[in-house]
Amino acid sequence: MNTGKPSFLRTSRGQRKGAITVLAALMTVCMLAMVAFTVDVGYILSSEQELQRTADSAALAACWEYAKNRAHDNNQYDSINAGRLVAAQYAGLNRIGGAATQIDPNLSNSTSGDITYGRIDDLYTADPTVDTYSTKDFNAVTVRIRKNENINGKVPLFFAKIFGLSGQEIRGEATAAYTAGISGLSVPGHGGNIDLLPFALDEDTWNDLLAGYAPDNWAWDAETGAISSGSDGILEVNLYPQGTGSPGNRGTVDIGGSNNSTNDIARQILYGVSPTDMAHHNGVLEFDANGELELNGDTGISAGVKDELKAIKGQPRIIPIFSRVHGPGNNAQYTIVKWAGIRILDVKLTGPMNKKRVIVQPAPMVVEGVIPGKDDESDYVYSPVVLVN
């Protein structure tokens, strides 16, 4: 007899109970699937974050190691290999999912390899490209980290195994680079000082040093910062000039107001050139279209700043390199054509003129506020190594 009830209400109590049981089972399966999906996806995302941090740190370390080696070694190949070793070390120290990470050294420098060196001419473009065939010095490295069947293994899945899924491939990459050719200096974004000494060295003496025609009588220990007599493989030059070609002038340049006092020079030695000093140059010291910058000269390195110079021994600083000087004394005009990174090893500003000295050697100098330029406009001066993508 038709009671007028819907068909599902006409089922027996046992049938309804069975249907509810099936429905509950289906809901349980769905819940388990959702849990499996959530846990496994969360683990994959966590592994991807660890992988990216590994790529970032390895790229930064490899690029900086390359830059340090390149500063003192004309062999780009050796410097690249030093960077590759450091990249592998940092990748191994950064664990992904609790496991150490391996990267292929890519000795052929293939563009698809795990570690690729190249050149970026402009770090500030929206999408910088690494040129691995550049005839200029390399200044960038891309590190790629992979977890797949061939290297490092897939990211393991847990609950998803019940659906036949055992692992997930992931990969990531990072590119680090620095600016090597510096045409000028500007006030850093943080508004601080620039470690620029107000003492200029003539271009011929600097070029002779780079060509190997200079002594090696002093040693700087990179581990301890100690300075001693002896050889360290890095040549030296006397920054205190025995003659600049300008009567009554000894190589000091005015950065800031003209006719800087001994107190001004002492301050700049210890603390660098300030934004107030730079304001006298419209905030920048930059070469013109001819690759030159004119700076007013001062009478010279005074014995009154010997203590300040001794206080910064071993610390990297920038000096200007000049091609010519015209005019005497405070009226001298220096034509600056290059920036150079140096460190002071010895200071003696008393006694006979031919015994006075400020001995310096080339040293990598990392400075913010650089203005990118040509490779031949600076030596040993670099922007900080940064991630560009």
Side-chain angles (χ1 to χ4, degrees):
M1 181 177 62
N2 189 344
T3 63
K5 295 181 180 180
S7 60
F8 72 89
L9 292 179
R10 297 199 300 269
T11 60
S12 68
R13 179 177 297 178
Q15 289 175 319
R16 291 198 297 273
K17 186 175 180 180
I20 292 172
T21 301
V22 171
L23 181 60
L26 289 174
M27 290 179 65
T28 300
V29 170
C30 290
M31 289 294 293
L32 287 174
M34 291 176 64
V35 170
F37 178 80
T38 302
V39 171
D40 287 336
V41 168
Y43 189 68
I44 291 171
L45 291 175
S46 176
S47 297
E48 286 178 336
Q49 290 176 341
E50 291 177 336
L51 182 145
Q52 190 59 54
R53 285 197 296 268
T54 300
D56 291 348
S57 64
L60 287 168
C63 193
W64 178 234
E65 185 67 21
Y66 166 81
K68 288 192 299 181
N69 282 270
R70 196 74 179 97
H72 291 307
D73 186 351
N74 287 327
N75 190 320
Q76 180 167 266
Y77 179 80
D78 289 343
S79 299
I80 287 175
N81 283 341
R84 292 188 193 281
L85 289 174
V86 169
Q89 291 172 0
Y90 270 72
L93 292 171
N94 286 271
R95 306 176 76 83
I96 302 174
T101 307
Q102 295 182 339
I103 50 178
D104 184 89
N106 188 29
L107 299 180
S108 65
N109 208 45
S110 166
T111 56
S112 61
D114 287 354
I115 310 173
T116 305
Y117 276 86
R119 173 84 183 190
I120 296 177
D121 285 325
D122 186 356
L123 272 60
Y124 305 103
T125 58
D127 188 19
T129 301
V130 180
D131 179 7
T132 59
Y133 299 99
S134 175
T135 57
K136 301 178 181 178
D137 281 353
F138 290 167
N139 68 337
V141 58
T142 297
V143 173
R144 300 175 181 89
I145 306 292
R146 298 171 291 144
K147 282 185 71 65
N148 56 36
E149 292 180 348
N150 299 319
I151 188 168
N152 296 313
K154 295 180 180 180
V155 176
L157 301 178
F158 303 101
F159 293 97
K161 289 180 179 179
I162 63 176
F163 300 105
L165 302 174
S166 61
Q168 174 67 44
E169 292 185 5
I170 61 172
R171 59 169 292 163
E173 68 177 52
T175 299
Y178 63 92
T179 298
I182 309 300
S183 70
L185 302 162
S186 62
V187 177
H190 55 68
N193 293 358
I194 302 171
D195 287 329
L196 171 64
L197 291 178
F199 305 125
L201 179 67
D202 68 280
E203 187 177 26
D204 289 340
T205 300
W206 179 254
N207 287 340
D208 285 346
L209 178 146
L210 295 181
Y213 302 109
D216 183 12
N217 299 324
W218 295 89
W220 178 75
D221 189 314
E223 295 295 328
T224 65
I227 299 170
S228 60
S229 59
S231 173
D232 63 358
I234 305 174
L235 306 183
E236 304 113 14
V237 66
N238 187 2
L239 183 59
Y240 190 92
Q242 306 306 313
T244 63
S246 173
N249 191 280
R250 291 291 172 190
T252 304
V253 292
D254 287 322
I255 301 175
S258 60
N259 300 318
N260 280 349
S261 67
T262 299
N263 287 337
D264 291 324
I265 294 172
R267 170 180 56 80
Q268 292 178 346
I269 292 171
L270 289 176
Y271 308 113
V273 173
S274 70
T276 301
D277 294 326
M278 293 291 288
H280 290 272
H281 307 277
N282 295 319
V284 296
L285 292 167
E286 185 178 9
F287 300 136
D288 60 20
N290 297 319
E292 298 178 343
L293 169 68
E294 296 294 324
L295 288 178
N296 186 62
D298 213 331
T299 51
I301 303 177
S302 164
V305 296
K306 66 180 186 302
D307 292 337
E308 286 78 9
L309 288 170
K310 290 178 179 179
I312 65 167
K313 285 170 58 175
Q315 301 175 21
R317 291 292 190 273
I318 304 170
I319 60 170
I321 305 296
F322 69 89
S323 61
R324 60 184 181 274
V325 187
H326 59 88
N330 283 337
N331 294 317
Q333 288 289 315
Y334 281 75
T335 301
I336 309 302
V337 294
K338 181 174 285 190
W339 309 104
I342 58 93
R343 70 168 55 90
I344 296 174
L345 300 179
D346 186 48
V347 177
K348 181 176 173 57
L349 293 179
T350 57
M353 181 68 71
N354 62 0
K355 298 293 184 181
K356 294 182 179 181
R357 59 184 181 269
V358 179
I359 304 299
V360 302
Q361 68 176 195
M365 179 66 196
V366 178
V367 61
E368 295 185 46
V370 301
I371 301 172
K374 301 175 183 177
D375 285 357
D376 61 359
E377 292 180 323
S378 64
D379 292 315
Y380 299 92
V381 183
Y382 311 103
S383 73
V385 173
V386 295
L387 292 172
V388 295
N389 61 30

